[in-house]
Every structure is written in C-alpha cells, then in structure tokens.
Amino acid sequence: MNPATFANIPHAHSQDSVPKLMGRVLLALLPATLYGVVLFGWPAFNLLAVTVLACLLGEAVCLWLAGRSVRLGMLDGSALLTGMLLALSLPPWAPWWIGAIGGAFAIVVGKGVFGGTGQNVFNPAMLARVMLLVSFPVQMTTWLDPHPWLSGSAPSFLEGLQVTFGHWAATDGVTGPTILGHIRTELGMNHALSQSVPGHYQSALAAVGWTGGSLGETAEILILLGGLWLLWRRAITWQIPVAMLVTVLLLASGFHWANPERFADPLLHLLSGSLMLGAFFIATDPVTSPLAPVGQIVFGIGCGALVYIIRTWGGYPEGIAFAVVLMNAATPLIDHYFRPRIYGRTWRGESRPIEKKSDEN
Amino acid sequence: MSRHVFWGGVHPPGQKHLSAERPIELLPIPARLYLPLQQHAGGPALPVVTVGQRVSKGELLAKAQSATSAPLHAPTSGTIAAIGEFTAPHPSGLPMATITLEADGADQWIEREPSPDPFDLEPAEVARRVGAAGIVGMGGANFPSAVKLDKARQAKVHTLVINGAECEPYMSCDDRLMRERAAEIADGVAIMLHAVQAARAVIAIEDNKPEALQTMRDACRVDERMEVRSLPSRYPAGSAKQLIQWLTGLETPAGGRGTDTGLLVHNVGTAYAVHRALRYGQPLISRIVTVSGGAVAEPRNLEAPIGALAADLLAYCGGVDTDCTRLLMGGPMMGQPLPCAETPVVKGTNGILALTAAELGEQRSPEPCIRCGRCVEACPMGLLPVEMANSARQEDWSGIQALKLNDCMACGSCAYACPSRIPLLQYFAFARSQLAEQRRQESKAQHIRQLMEQRQARFAREERVKAEAAAQRRAAKQSRVVVTADDDDDD
Amino acid sequence: MNDYRRIFADGLWGNNVVFVQMLALCPLMAVTTTATNGLGMGLATTWVLLSANIVIASLRHWIAPEVRIPVFVLLIASLVTLADMAINAWLHELYKVLGLFIPLIVVNCCVLGRAEAFASRQPVLASAADGLAMGLGLTLALVLIGACREVLGSATLFAQASLLLGQSFAFLEIVLIQDYSGFLLMLLPPGGFLVLGFLLAGRRLLERPRP
Amino acid sequence: MRDYLLILLGAALVNNAVLVRFLGLCPFMGVSNRVDAALGMGMATTFVLTLAVAVSWLLEHYVLAPLNIQFLRILAFILVIAALVQFTEMFIRKASPALYQTLGIYLPLITTNCAVFGIALLNIQQQYDFISSLLYGLGSAMGFTLVMALFAGIRERLALANVPAAFAGAPIAFIVAGLLALAFMGFVGLPVR
Amino acid sequence: MKTDFRNSLGYPMALLGGIALMTSAAISVADWLTQADITQRQLEDLQATLQQVVPATYFDNDLVRDTVTLRAGDQTVIAYRARRNGQVQAVCYQVSAPGYGNSAMVMVMGVDRAGTLLGVRVISHAETPGLGDKIEVTKSDWILKFNGRSLNDPPPFGWAVKKDGGIFDQFTGATITPRALVSAVKSGLEFFAAHRLALLDEVVAGGTPK
Amino acid sequence: MIVAMAALTSLGLFFGLLLSLAARIFRVPVNAQREEIMALLPGVNCGQCGYPGCGGAADALIAGQAVPTLCPPGGSALARSLATALGQTLDSAENGPPLLAEIDEGRCIGCAHCGKQCPTDAIIGAPKQIHSVFQEACMGCGLCVDVCPTECLQLRPQTPTLAHWLWPKPMLEGA
Ligand SMILES: Cc1cc2nc3c(=O)[nH]c(=O)nc-3n(C[C@H](O)[C@H](O)[C@H](O)COP(=O)(O)O)c2cc1C
Ligand SMILES: Cc1cc2nc3c(=O)[nH]c(=O)nc-3n(C[C@H](O)[C@H](O)[C@H](O)COP(=O)(O)O)c2cc1C
Ligand SMILES: Cc1cc2nc3c(=O)[nH]c(=O)nc-3n(C[C@H](O)[C@H](O)[C@H](O)COP(=O)(O)O)c2cc1C
Ligand SMILES: Cc1cc2nc3c(=O)[nH]c(=O)nc-3n(C[C@H](O)[C@H](O)[C@H](O)CO)c2cc1C
Ligand code: SF4
Ligand code: SF4
Ligand code: SF4
Ligand code: SF4
Ligand code: FES
C-alpha cells in the first residue's frame, strides 16, 4: 500500500503556513521596533540582537536534543518572534545577560521542555519577562528617558556597547519613571492624581511615544497600526484584542468616574504601558490562547481585568505579562468549558429538538 | 424564507472553468464494464445472472437484498464475463465483489413497457419504481432514493430541496446537467413532489453558476411550486445540513434526520434520474462525470455508463500527463484517492480528477499544530478538529467520542484551513476505523460467547443423554440382575 | 540481611520518598532554599520517621481500625512536639536554625504514609530500618534540591552549615562566586518546583533502560 | 464587608495555600490528572477546611485558652480534625451514596493533606474572630480548588500533547507547577490582609 | 479472647482515650521539664537582642525583667527599661511595620532618656533576599544610620527615603521596605514622646509603674 | 498538667466513642476482594494513582480499569503482589494484531482433531473432508494448532478485506 495515497486529505489546502503567519507578525512589529531602536539608540539594538540570538540558539539546542531537524524547526520563525517580543518588553538599556538569560529561559523552559513549538502552555516571552522581573527587579525596573539616535544625548556605538556589555550604572540624569510607575509612586505617597499627573503629560506624549518605557511599548500608534494590519491579514482574530481593550476601558472608566483622584483616566490606561502590544501581539499568541471564539472572548476579558487589577492595586506598575501568563494557565479550562455549540446540539451537547429554534425566531 | 447563515466553511479556488464550458459528451461504451455489487449505502445487491449469460441493456443483473439496498442493471448489452472480485474505488486498493460485463457493441435495450403518467400513480408506487430503477442519491451519499422518498412522505415533509450547489472545486457535472437538461430536471422535481406529497420545491444553486441559475429559473417558471434560490459560493454549502441551515435557520438534530426539519434534500442528478425512470422506464445505468484536473489534457463532462473504468474516461479526455501525482474519485475536498486508474465508475461518482503536484499544494511535511483555531473557525459543525486529532493521536477513544467525532461529516474544511497541514482527516479516519474495529470485536466477542455457551449446552445435553443412557442401561441391567444374577461382566 | 539491604536501597533511591513516592513535598519546597536547611529538615524528619515507625510498629497489634488514623496522627504529633521542646530547651543553638521547620514535620505526609504503608504491617526492627532508610532518602533529596537552589540562587553551598553542625563543619561552607548578584527565581517558590522538575527528568534519563 | 472580601481574596490568591504557602502539595500533584477529580478534591477540601477551621477556632477559644494548655494545641487540633474527617466520611458513605461518589471518596485523601492542619494553625496565629476565621478557611480552600482545577486542566492538555519522554508525566507537572507559582507572583502586593 | 474485646464498642474509645492520655501525659511532662529552660533560653535571646540596641554602659539592672506594658492605639507594647543606679537611662521596645507584599517586619529600637535613638535592629522579616534584606545588620550597615537620630534630627519632613524627599537612602530596586521601616521608626519615636514619663518610670500620678 | 491530660483524654474518649459508634451505625457491606486489595495497598491515600485514594484505586483495580503498577508509593513490590492477587501478569503489553487460525487446504487430511478442540465450534468440516475456519467465530486461542498432525493449521494475522481494513495512523516526524 502506498502511504503517499493517504497524505494530505483533503487534496486542496489553503496557502497559509506557519512561517508565513509568523512572518506577518514580525512584519507588523517592525515599525514599532525600529522606532524603539531609534528612540533608545545602540544599547537597545544590542539588547534586541542578544535576546533574539539567545532565543535562536536555545531553539537550535532544543531541536537538536529532541532529535528533530534543526533547519526545519528554525525556519518556522517562532523563536525569532519570541525573541523579538521578549526584547520589546525589556528595559532598553538592560545589560546583555538579561536578554541572554531571558531568551534562553523563554525557549528552553517556556517551550522546549513541553515539546517545542505549539506544545507549550504558557507564553514563552511573557514567562521569561515575568521570570526576569521576579529575579532581577533592579535591572528590570530601571527605565530610561528617550535618547533618540541622532540627538546629542544619544550614546555612540562604543558607548552603546559599554551600556549593554560593560558595567554601567543608571544615573538619575538618564533614567526616569514610566507614567504607570510614576503614578504608583505618587499614589504610594498619598498624592492625588490631579497633582501628580499634570494634564499635558497625560495622553498626548504617550501616544506619540515620546516616553520612557520598554523598547516596544513606547510607540502605541505604530503598534496599533501593526495590530490592525494583522487583523486585516487575518493573522489574528478580533476577539482577544477587542475583549481585552474594552474590559480595561470599561473598568478604568468606571473607577475613574467614581474617584478621579485615585484612579487614572481610561485613555491613560489605554495608551500607556504595553497594553496595545499585549492586546494585539501577546495575548493573541495562538498557541497559548483558547481555540474557540467564545473562549477567546473570555480570555480577553480575563486578561483585561487582571491587567487593570494588577496595575491599580497590585505590587507591580504594569501587569500585562502577569495577566497573560495567568490567563494562559486558565486556557485549558476555558477550552474545556467554552466550546462552540455543535450543529444540531444544545450548548450542553445534547441533541437539539427542532421546535425550540422556531420559538426563538 | 428569509436568509440565514451557515457556520464556518472555506473558500477553495473553484477551478470549475476547466470543464464547465464544454457540453456533455457521451462516452463510447468500453469493451468491458465492471459493476461492483455494492454501489450504495446498505446491503450489497445479490446477483441474479450467471457467468456466460447474455443480457440486454437495462436488464436486472442483481436484485436489492433488503429494503435499504438497490438493484443493479446492465448499462449495455453483452455477456457476463465474470462474477468475482475487482479493485474497488477505495484508497486501500482492496478488491470487492463485482460483475464483469463484456459489451457486445449493439447496445440493445431490453423490452420496456410504456410508462404510465407518473402523476396518475400512487405516491408509494412512484417511490417503488424509483427503487426498482436502482436510483441512489447522486449527491455522494449513495443512499437509496426510494427509501428517502418514502420516509419523507411518512414524515409529512413540506419542502423538497433540490441540491444544485455543487460546492466542490473542479466539479461541474451538475452545472452542465442543469444548463442542458433543465426541463427534464424540473419534470423530475415535479414527480418527486408528487412522490413526497410536499407543497413546494426549492432548487438551490451556488451563485458561481449564473447560467445554471438562469436555465433552471426558466424551466421552473411553469410550476409555481418551484423556486430557484442562489446560494453563496462557500464550501460546503451543498451539504444537506448546511443547506437546510442556510435556507431555514433550522438545524438537523444530532442523531436525527434531515426530514425532522420538514425538508428533504435531493441532488439534481437524482431528479434527472427520476425523470428518466418514471417517464421512460430507464433504470440508472449511466451518469454525468466530470473529468478534470491539471493533468488531464482536455477536461470535460462525460455521460458515462456505470462500470466504465476511470482509465477509459481519462483516455477519452486525451489521457493523463506524466506530472499527475494523484488520481481522485470525486472532488478534492471529499474525494477518495484512487490506487490506480483501473477502478470503475459507480453510481455516486461525480468526477475523476487527475491532479498535479502544484494543484495539491507544495508537498510540505506537516508542521507542529500552533493551536491557531482556524480549523475550529472553519468547521461548519462547530466541532474542535484539533482536539479530536490530538485525542486520536493519543488513542483516547472515549475522549474523541466526547468531542462528538460522530457529528463530523468529513467535509475537510478544517484540514483545508489548517496552516500547519495537520492531517486532521486522516486522524479522524484512523479513529473511525479503530472505533468500528472495536465495535466489531465487541460484537464478535459476544457472538463467540454465545457459540461457547451453545457448545457448553450441547456438551451438557450430550452428557445428559449419555447419563440417561447409562442410567437406563444400569436400570436394565438391574432388572436383568434380578433375573440372572451372574450377568455382571456386561460392562 | 538481604531484606534490610533492600529496605535501604528502596528508601534511598528505588522508592525514594520524594523522587518516586512524591510525598513530603510541602516541607521540601518550603525549606530547600539552602542545602543546609535541607539537611537540617531532613535529619529532624528522619528522627521522627524512625521513632514514629518504632512506636507504631510496636503498637500495631493493638490498633483498632476505627481509630487507626487519629491514633497515628496523635502519636506522630506528640513525637514531633517532644522533639521540638527538647531541642528548644537543650539544643537551643540548633533550635534557632531548625526551629521553624520542626512543627512542619507534623503535617509532613510521608510520616503518616510510612506509618500506614510499612510500620502498621511490619515488625519493629524492619520498621525502624524503613524509617531510617526513608528518612535518609528524604534527606538526600532535600540536600540535593537545596544544593541546586542554593548554587543557582546565591552561588554558595552549605551556607551557615557551621551553625547547624558545629564549627568543625565550617569547611562545608563554600562561596562559589564572590559578588553574585543572586538569581532570585531559585530562592522563591517557583524555583523549588522547577528544580525538582528538572531533577526528576534527570533521574528519568539515568534510569532509562539501556538497550 | 470589604475586610471580609479582602481576607477571602488574600487567602485564595495572594497567599495561595499551594503555590505560596506550600501546603497540600502532595494531593495537588497526586489528584490533578483529571479536571473532575481535581474539582471533587477541591470541594471536599473546601468542606473539610472550613469545618476544621471552625472546630479548631472553637477548641482554641473555649478549651485550650481558658485552661491555659495551648502547648497541647497541635495534639488537640490534629486529633479532632482527623477524627472529624473520618466521621464525616463514614457518615456520607452511609447517608448519601451520590454525595459520597462526588465528594466523599476524596475524604480519605485529605488526611494526607497538610493544608487542612496547616491552615487551622495559621488561622489561630492570625488572631481572627470567628467569622474571619471561617472566611480565611474558605478562601484558602477556594485558592486550593482554583489552582487544582487550573493545574488539572493543563495536565489534561499535556496528556494529549507531545511532551519529550524525559519530561512526560511528573517532571513536566512540577515545571508547570513552578511556572504557575511564577504567574501567581503577579498577585503579590495586592492590599489584602 | 483477644479479638473479642477488640470488637467491643468501648475498645476504640478506650484506645483513643488511652493514647490521648499517654501522649498528653508525655507532652505535659516534657512541658514541665523544659518549660523553665525554654523560658530561660528565650530570655537569653531577648537579652542578646536588647543589648544590641542598648549598650551595656546604660544599665546595671536585669533589663529583661524590668518591663512596663503600655497601650498604643489598639496594640500593647512591652517596653524594657535600662536602669543605672535605679534611674531609667534608656528604654527599648518592639515596633512592627508592613513590609513588601504585606508581610510583617518586626524590629526593636532602643531610645535614651533624651529621645535619641541608640539603635534599631530587625528581628524578623520576610523581605526578598537580595533586595529588601539589606535591612539586616549582617547584610548592610544601612540600619546603623538611625543611630543618634531623634524626632527633630532630621526634622519631620526628613524622616523619609530620599526618593520621597527625605534623608534616608532607599535600596536600588526596593523602596517599599526602607520606606516602611523609616516610617515605623519615626512612629516608634513618636510613641516614646507620647509616653515618655511612663516609660521613664517618672509618672507622678495616673500611671502604674511596676 | 492534670487539666491538660484530662482535657485531651476526654477528647480522645469522646472521638473514640464517636468513631466506634459511627463504624457500627454507618457500616456498609464490604467486599472481600476489595478488602484484600485494600490490605495490600499502602493506605497512604495520596492520590498519585489518579484515583481518589487507595479505596478508589482498589475499586479501579477490581473493575479492571487500572494496572497493577498504578501506585508510586507502593513501588515495584506492590505491583508484583497486586498482579498476583488479581491474577494478572505484569507485562500484559499488547502484541500486534490479533491472530486467527487458518487452514492450508492443500495439506489438510480431514482428521477432524481440531474441530473437537475448538471451544467456539469455529472449525467446519466433516471427517475426511478438508476443514476450514469460520473466522468470524475464531478467537485465536490456538488450541487447535497443537493437535493438527500435518501442521496445516496455523495462526495468522487476519487477511485484510474492505470490511476489516483499518486506516493507518498518520505518522508525523515532529508534530
Ligand atoms: C509586554 C510588556 C509587559 C510588561 N509587563 C510588566 C510587568 O508585568 N510589570 C512591570 O513592572 N512592568 C512591566 N512592563 C513594563 C511597563 O510597561 C513599564 O515600563 C514599567 O511598569 C515601568 O515601571 P517603573 O516605573 O516602576 O519602573 C511591561 C512591558 C511590556 C512591553
Ligand atoms: C461536505 C458535503 C458537501 C456536499 N456537497 C454536495 C453538493 O455540492 N451537491 C450535492 O448535491 N450534494 C452534496 N452533498 C450531499 C448532500 O449532503 C446530500 O446528501 C445530497 O444532496 C442528498 O441528495 P441525494 O440523496 O439525491 O444524493 C454534500 C455532502 C457533504 C457532507
Ligand atoms: C520578586 C520581587 C521582590 C521584591 N521584593 C521587594 C522587597 O523585598 N522590598 C521592596 O521594597 N521591594 C521589593 N520589590 C519591589 C520592587 O523592586 C519595586 O519596584 C520597588 O520596591 C518600588 O520601588 P521604586 O519606587 O523604586 O520603583 C520586589 C519586586 C519583585 C519583583
Ligand atoms: C499572532 C501571534 C502572536 C504571538 N505572540 C507570541 C508571544 O507573545 N510570545 C511568544 O513567545 N511567541 C509568540 N508567538 C509565536 C509563537 O506562537 C510562540 O512562540 C509559541 O508559543 C511557540 O510554541 C506569536 C505568534 C503569533 C502568530
Ligand atoms: S488549524 Fe491546524 S494548526 Fe490551527 S489549530 Fe487547527 S490543527 Fe492546529
Ligand atoms: S471534517 Fe469534520 S471536523 Fe473537519 S470541518 Fe468538516 S465536519 Fe468539521
Ligand atoms: S497511589 Fe497508592 S498510596 Fe496513593 S492513593 Fe493510590 S493506591 Fe493509595
Ligand atoms: S484457534 Fe481456537 S477458536 Fe480458532 S479455530 Fe482453533 S481452536 Fe477454534
Ligand atoms: S501534602 Fe504532603 S507534605 Fe504537605
């Protein structure tokens, strides 16, 4: 019997493939990445390179250990994407070993031990980010004011190497808090928001992206455009980003309306931190999010609510990574309980009698 | 009826232009025809002819075994060359029971009584005649049509849906049939309406066949009970369940029948066959087959006798190029791969495709599933194909049944949509055959248990008989002992 | 003798409380931030296992099934409490290191587990051997995991061992990297799980039947 | 009201019994192969934990403290809890076979669940009033049930995945538990009591 | 028969009761035997801690036994008094503060008659190793910076970490711990100011020095 | 001290009585085999077997849903004794497709020995005639093979037919 006869039923296939999908996501990230690199200069570029290389190396080692084709496995581009997303969520002037440890952790512990691409339960990049934050809080919470490439304050190539690979201690001159961190500090001292967040600071600058923060969270507009492009190219579906953004928006509006001095305004929530990146590029990771559209909406709502809770009451100024990883843990249960209704069956899986439908009509 | 939607589905490129623009041509009768005894759902037909017997065109070769079975008729006149085994149109390439007919070239019809006006007949009699003509569903399910008509009448179906969707890529046989023989189809529909006693008929045609829509509209104008509706071109719009959902918003209950919704679905080819059977007394001995694919020199639609080999059809269409990588019976979505071209056309064969590697998509090895959910989105039944495949891989049979593998109609939408080329349908087929095997083993075990019990019972009986015999002997002996005390050494 | 050898082989490796039976996980995760802590906890638990096995094995003919479990837990809890009081009063320096962990032993389910699985069915001597073997196996696991976490997390080994074992054991204390900035993950809750996971995978590779 | 809610949430999420306090790990690893078993175990634990916290609180405040014999606390608690669990199991088994099937069969497992005893002791250290104690017990049990269910869901999925042979089964389960603990660190700092 | 009486209703009861009797007897005896030693050891521990924050030159009494119990808000505070020649020279007492992630930090502080800090030591905490644990004197000398400070040195607004405009350093990456500690020490000093007379055993009327 | 002892002893007496009474009042009929298995199982009730405690494990073992190697705390010794108690062997691994008896018709001499052996009467044939096996009734027990004098009777995998054909399992290199 010729086994080839059984291959590839049906005998027509859509033209999509995993590398194409990953390629699209990478492409959509490119503008924001370039912007981030320009904004933070050579050190940011170095960190990006180190992180991506660590991921690729980790992937190669895992594939080799698993006895799979290293070339084929690397070609799918998922390790590259993990590296990119991880780098984008790091402080841009973090030392090289942050990127290296993070990248290796993401691929080996986040994915390799589960059996490689597609088998992992948690989002590898966010797992690594959470791990780094928990293990190296100092390096992971030293944020930088923008030092755009050709401006006077930008480090030269050699200085860039010194920042990433040498000993460099943050000085108050170059570092500054992100908006969310600032709010947290101020609230910690019982200052009302109206004093601590002056109006002009609010959304305009953040939206244009002239703010300190991680590599990939500054250019909210570029991220949003990339995300919309992904939606249009059908690389992602609308359920997760929309559910997540709407949840944050609703919660933020409600609390802000109740007590504007304690709770930041919704626009600030939407446009600061890495909410956009999280909603369009991270929570949408197909491997670790629910399969079915209903489940995806539940997942998005969960992510949004957790982000808001952690940002507002938790111990960390930003909660995307934790929210995503926590909801990843819930994904199998969501997949278990939120399934599409089967044709001809009720939601509970019993055969669905005809009369009911005519009533509904 | 208002517009509704059906869930899921995919948009494979149609490729219908390859064959749709040429009129139907008649395939010359090949020298030998191979007629498998089971071309329908239900028990195989029982041969009523012997090897060497001469038969005329339309003569009964094998009779229906039971109510759900269908008779088989000679597609042409000739001699029965063999009743044996021949390669089945099945991917395994295993043989099945087949009657071989050696054509004599005369194509001599059997004597036919003139047909009475079908509308004068009792509805049940119409259905009986449909059954006697060996008509089975031409839409692919091969279910004996007479049974469907009878059941539908008993279920008081109000609407007959004539399925002209033809949603499979490449296929254009229904399209050509509707374009060229619309009046005949309309007549068949009217006869079926009579057989079912339904109030109206809806002829549903995908909107990528504007000419067929037009000709059918023209042909149906004569009968106000018939309505022609255009369907969106989306695979699998032609599946009965999805068609019903699109037309009415109703869903066939799981485990129930389509007729539970008050609708009966039949293929246009079936309507045409009913017309031929009831008006002219012609049994089902030929059908329209689309011969297409990039490896076929001149794709076209042929009216071919049942039993002609795929090779005969392909040869008539100019032969197959060397770059043909796969032969299919049926469309690319649901068709069966053929082990070789020497397999016969059966009643349900709507197409023979010879596809090139390029058409099949680049031959990539599967990548890991990334749980993207495209298969879930694509499934018109609302199933979780990826979970079913995972369960099949781990051979978790109770798990896969809980995921309702039974509701899957193997439409292939999920596997079409999968960017990782996960062989979802092979996993389902594997699981199905394993489950079937389990059921077989169970019933076999039960059967064996019965046999063993019977054997035990037989032994017990024999023992008893022996014991009784011995007892009698002993009794006799004893009585004899009374008579003659020294007759001991008898035992 | 062979029997006892098997009991020890089982306890230390073949049927190790942690690696195979997967019991005693709570104290395992809670104390193994250093190898020293692991060692202290392991030794204390060994003592309890040993004495509990002996007491229960000698009482085993008297136990009524209805109250079996309450009796066992009472005995174990009192043994632990006795140990706690004794160390606190007379070995106070040791208590400062171990004190936190001792009450944890009461709820260590491997003690009850051994009582049920072994001591309530076997003679006193075998039970004592079993308790000792299981305890040493547990200690081995605790030290192993503690060492991994300590080396990765703070680049030291057996830090403060001299506090536990006395000055003569100060040589055990090793600082691997002087200015190690610390890998907190390993010292925090997740670290224990991850290390145990990788150790189990390693054990699996070791035990893999060689063709 | 707010305080009560915070006690509940604090016990369930921030100071999760399994992932933060390291209590009840053995059944957490043992009975988490299937979601329904995990939920059954969670419910049984919820019942026992609430009962245990209530009884131990009463014991502490009406027996041990008045008689000034707190040094017997461990002994008394563990005796009472073990006996009550066993009694409940016997009772349910006879009284309601249906309840026994969904809940009661998990009760013997709870004797090896150090969470019950640990939480009862911790609760006394927190010096809560009776209602707060009950909520503390309930919250801890809810946290236990939550992580059991999450973990079991993940393990069910992993059972169908292609985990490398060296990691399949217990090793990957521990790694997942570690990653889950990492994720739960996100709740650190929530203002709970 | 052995088995007979074991099947009787009373046997399990007697067994459990007996075991309970045995164990409680054992524990009681052990308690009785060890009680004195344990108390002694605890006192020694306490003494050792107290001596870290009150130099030996300040007292000639047994300061662990010279205590006064006061109420501060809803908490009771036990203060130990260091006397030389009968006069209270310094007092020390425990204060606690919420640390990172709601865990409690407990420290003792010693204050002399004038309200000047003699020393502060953290005796228990659950701060993150490597971050918040720099408050331990074995890890960093940060805690020694309190020595010699008083409510007016620095002035009240200076009683904060530098990040909040005060004079005390925060740790890199951990502001919460030092912030909480500074404010706890400050309120400890305020407690001293509020109860100065009672603490120094100079109450003329109203107080009940022991 | 007396108080302490009195208090704990009365607690002990009280709960001892309670449990003792409960064991009588709530007695449920026991199953001998279950008791036997229970006596073998460790009684740790840790749940690692995936069943709710040792009781659940015993039930599953008796119902044939579990294999004797189910209990990690029990180790391999327990697996062995459980297998003995349940009358199973430890290596009950499946070995290939089921085999059925098949008669090589060329060599069958019609001795009719095999038919007498077959517990399901699956061998058809009169004495001195060529015998054949009715495969739908054969369970592959092999009893007949030993008695065949010409060795024409062999156990072979079932010949595939359309009705028996099984889809192959897709083999993926990586996924
Ligand atoms: C994807 C992503 C996830 C992030 N997650 C967190 C987080 O969980 N916690 C956090 O403190 N910062 C996180 N950040 C960084 C924050 O957005 C922000 O830069 C940080 O909160 C600044 O905090 P600070 O002012 O306290 O230094 C994340 C950034 C990205 C891009
Ligand atoms: C996925 C799928 C697609 C189908 N597509 C068509 C189609 O395009 N045309 C058609 O007539 N029947 C199609 N069928 C078959 C119909 O469901 C139904 O069986 C048939 O129309 C009934 O008519 P018949 O009994 O006359 O064959 C399809 C079935 C399935 C499962
Ligand atoms: C795992 C982890 C542990 C932490 N432990 C402490 C701690 O013990 N003490 C502390 O003050 N902050 C701790 N932090 C909090 C941060 O470092 C926090 O960002 C900082 O205290 C806020 O100070 P900032 O105002 O300088 O950003 C911890 C953070 C993490 C991620
Ligand atoms: C839309 C999309 C989003 C993705 N997001 C992530 C991500 O957030 N983190 C990550 O590690 N990989 C991401 N990937 C890549 C890949 O799915 C991921 O590495 C898998 O988890 C590896 O098994 C993404 C891929 C796609 C298509
Ligand atoms: S479409 Fe393919 S890759 Fe996507 S979830 Fe389904 S099987 Fe997996
Ligand atoms: S083949 Fe089955 S599972 Fe796949 S889309 Fe069709 S009905 Fe759904
Ligand atoms: S694994 Fe063994 S000891 Fe644990 S519950 Fe199951 S049978 Fe009992
Ligand atoms: S193998 Fe057994 S069942 Fe089959 S024919 Fe022989 S004796 Fe009969
Ligand atoms: S549950 Fe086993 S030690 Fe806690």
Side-chain angles (χ1 to χ4, degrees), chain A residues 133-134 137 185 316, chain C residues 188, chain E residues 100 127-128 131-132 163 173-177:
Chain A
L133 178 67
V134 161
T185 313
Y316 305 93
Chain C
L188 293 169
Chain E
Y100 177 73
E127 300 309 287
T128 314
L131 274 184
K163 194 171 186 176
T175 315
I176 297 166
T177 311

Side-chain angles (χ1 to χ4, degrees), chain F residues 1 92 95 100 105 125 127 134 151 159 168 171:
Chain F
M1 194 167 140
S92 52
N95 26 17
L100 298 182
E105 306 196 338
F134 179 46
E151 293 181 358
T159 40
M171 285 301 164

Side-chain angles (χ1 to χ4, degrees), chain F residues 39-56:
Chain F
L40 288 174
L41 289 175
V44 184
N45 283 321
C46 64
Q48 282 180 55
C49 47
Y51 297 96
C54 302

Side-chain angles (χ1 to χ4, degrees), chain A residues 1 4-22 24 68 72 76 117-120 233-237 285-293 296 331 335 339-345 349-354 357-358 361, chain B residues 4 7 91-92 241-242 245 248-254 260-261 326 328 331-333 335 337-338 355 359-360 362-365 367-374 376-377 380-384 386-387 403-404 407 412 415-421 425-426:
Chain A
M1 224 177 300
T5 316
F6 304 109
N8 271 358
I9 302 180
H11 311 279
H13 288 279
S14 68
Q15 291 302 304
D16 262 338
S17 68
V18 175
K20 276 188 195 165
L21 200 64
M22 300 291 169
R24 256 175 242 162
R68 301 224 210 128
L72 274 182
D76 73 11
T117 306
Q119 309 296 313
N120 49 311
R233 294 306 311 267
R234 296 184 24 88
I236 59 177
T237 51
D285 173 16
V287 177
T288 54
S289 61
L291 280 173
Q296 291 173 352
T331 295
D335 270 338
R339 290 177 172 177
R341 182 168 70 72
I342 298 176
Y343 176 103
R345 292 184 185 273
E350 288 137 13
S351 184
R352 189 168 184 257
I354 297 289
K357 179 75 196 182
S358 41
N361 273 356
Chain B
H4 297 270
W7 313 332
S92 66
K241 288 181 171 176
Q242 276 57 44
Q245 193 178 27
T248 65
L250 297 177
E251 290 165 35
T252 311
D260 293 349
T261 57
R326 193 167 305 156
L328 292 182
M333 299 299 288
L338 291 180
L355 300 180
E359 287 173 291
L360 289 167
E362 10 156 13
Q363 290 285 322
R364 289 190 286 121
S365 57
E367 282 150 5
C369 164
I370 53 164
R371 296 182 70 87
C372 62
R374 299 253 174 119
V376 178
E377 246 179 294
M381 298 303 287
L383 300 169
L384 298 175
V386 48
E387 302 284 30
L403 289 163
K404 309 293 183 216
D407 288 3
Y416 176 86
C418 175
S420 292
R421 297 282 207 278
L425 261 71
Q426 283 97 312

Side-chain angles (χ1 to χ4, degrees), chain D residues 47-64 73 76-85 87-88 116 120-121 123-124 130 133-134 137, chain F residues 11 14-15 18:
Chain D
F47 171 76
V48 173
L49 203 48
T50 317
L51 184 78
V53 168
V55 170
S56 59
W57 193 90
L58 294 175
L59 203 61
E60 171 76 18
H61 288 265
Y62 290 102
V63 181
L64 301 181
R73 188 186 289 150
F77 280 13
I78 208 159
L79 167 66
V80 172
I81 292 173
L84 275 181
V85 172
F87 177 80
T88 318
V116 175
L121 273 187
N123 176 53
I124 296 300
F130 187 66
S133 293
L134 278 187
Chain F
L11 276 179
F14 173 72
F15 283 105
L18 187 73

Side-chain angles (χ1 to χ4, degrees), chain B residues 333-418:
Chain B
M333 299 299 288
M334 293 194 70
Q336 298 271 26
L338 291 180
C340 60
E342 274 68 45
T343 49
V345 165
V346 292
K347 290 175 181 175
T349 306
N350 53 356
I352 302 286
L353 298 186
L355 300 180
T356 62
E359 287 173 291
L360 289 167
E362 10 156 13
Q363 290 285 322
R364 289 190 286 121
S365 57
E367 282 150 5
C369 164
I370 53 164
R371 296 182 70 87
C372 62
R374 299 253 174 119
C375 50
V376 178
E377 246 179 294
C379 178
M381 298 303 287
L383 300 169
L384 298 175
V386 48
E387 302 284 30
M388 296 199 294
N390 283 341
S391 301
R393 191 179 53 229
Q394 301 296 339
E395 312 200 358
D396 173 5
W397 304 130
S398 62
I400 201 169
Q401 282 174 305
L403 289 163
K404 309 293 183 216
L405 174 68
N406 281 343
D407 288 3
C408 165
M409 55 188 181
C411 70
S413 303
C414 49
Y416 176 86
C418 175

Side-chain angles (χ1 to χ4, degrees), chain D residues 133-150:
Chain D
S133 293
L134 278 187
L135 288 173
Y136 182 73
L138 189 68
S140 305
M142 278 167 27
F144 181 79
T145 313
L146 175 72
V147 295
M148 282 284 280
L150 291 178

